[in-house]
Amino acid sequence: MTDYHLKNISARHHAAAADAPDALHEINLSVESGEQVAIIGSSGAGKTTLLHVLACALQPQLGTFTLFNNDPWQLTHSQRHTLRGQLFLAPQVPPLPPRQRVVTTVLAGRLPQWSLWQAFLSLLKPSDPAAAFEALARLGLQDKLYERVDRLSGGERQRCGIARLLLSNARILLVDEPLSALDPTLSLQTLTVLRQHASSRDATLICSLHHVEFARAHFPRIIGLRQGRIVFDLACAEVTDEMVHDLYKNGQENVAAAMEKAASTNQVSLDSRCF
């Protein structure tokens, strides 16, 4: 069964200026149910924008987008909201309420399954703290169950967002840079938990990663993005070191050029002070 089918998709980020170019260009992509896919590419390549399109959080400018054999943007608002309940998007920086207890924010992973009344009651008294404890324990955070979110480190908040994902019953898990605030040991643990959880539920897992070595070691399919375009979409075994080097080459050159420009600007500023 095909979860996604994208044909000639172009999209622009919500915050982009009116005259800014599209963040995605002519994306052609199909994802089968239960697949585990890593998206790699330099910063600004379009990874987050692509995940937002897949999460039905961003409407494409052009092209055909099909999810579960439906075009989400041809549905009513209510129908699209129901459809989104089958997706879970875990952003790089989870929007966790700072004054909330960890147990409450983790249990919010079940919100799409709850009525408004159930959600309200869980705010007053966590409905299933044992489930939240178990999810946190898988990520080494069980001792933070009743801690306030604003007392967590950046890496702990990131793992708290993953624990929330573990309590959802979504058919598709979309995860944006889940390892950015974690050390190598915690990165491996978190990635292992994500992949095992998706496999156990036969859920589709699509994960953007800056850690190319983790993508190549743990994902059977890898998509390389550069400047909003798919450069390659291959089985992991077919991705070569040369392909990875070429994928990041332009990004490295752009960074070097930006640093050179900044250095030049600073020098001009310093020189100006001499007169």
Side-chain angles (χ1 to χ4, degrees), residues 95-105 123 145-152 157:
L96 309 179
R99 298 176 65 85
Q100 198 172 74
R101 300 292 177 185
V102 168
V103 61
T104 304
T105 199
L123 276 175
L145 183 65
Y146 289 106
E147 192 71 81
R148 265 180 34 169
V149 169
D150 58 4
R151 293 175 182 166
L152 301 179
R157 293 187 192 193

Side-chain angles (χ1 to χ4, degrees), residues 4-7 9-14 23-24 27 29 46-62 64-67 72-73 80 83-84 87 89 174 206:
Y4 287 109
H5 182 68
L6 284 67
K7 184 176 181 181
I9 288 292
S10 294
R12 177 177 295 176
H13 196 273
H14 286 303
L24 298 176
I27 298 293
L29 175 66
K47 301 187 299 297
T48 297
T49 303
L50 179 55
L51 287 178
H52 283 195
V53 168
L54 296 176
C56 302
L58 179 63
Q59 185 174 5
Q61 303 288 112
L62 297 170
T64 303
F65 174 42
T66 305
L67 169 62
W73 301 101
R80 189 162 54 251
L83 188 65
R84 285 176 178 149
L87 315 173
L89 174 63
L174 304 163
I206 304 175

Side-chain angles (χ1 to χ4, degrees), residues 234-252:
L234 297 169
C236 177
E238 298 176 22
V239 178
T240 66
D241 292 343
E242 184 179 4
M243 288 179 183
V244 172
H245 178 268
D246 288 344
L247 181 69
Y248 286 90
K249 184 178 179 181
N250 284 357
Q252 292 167 350

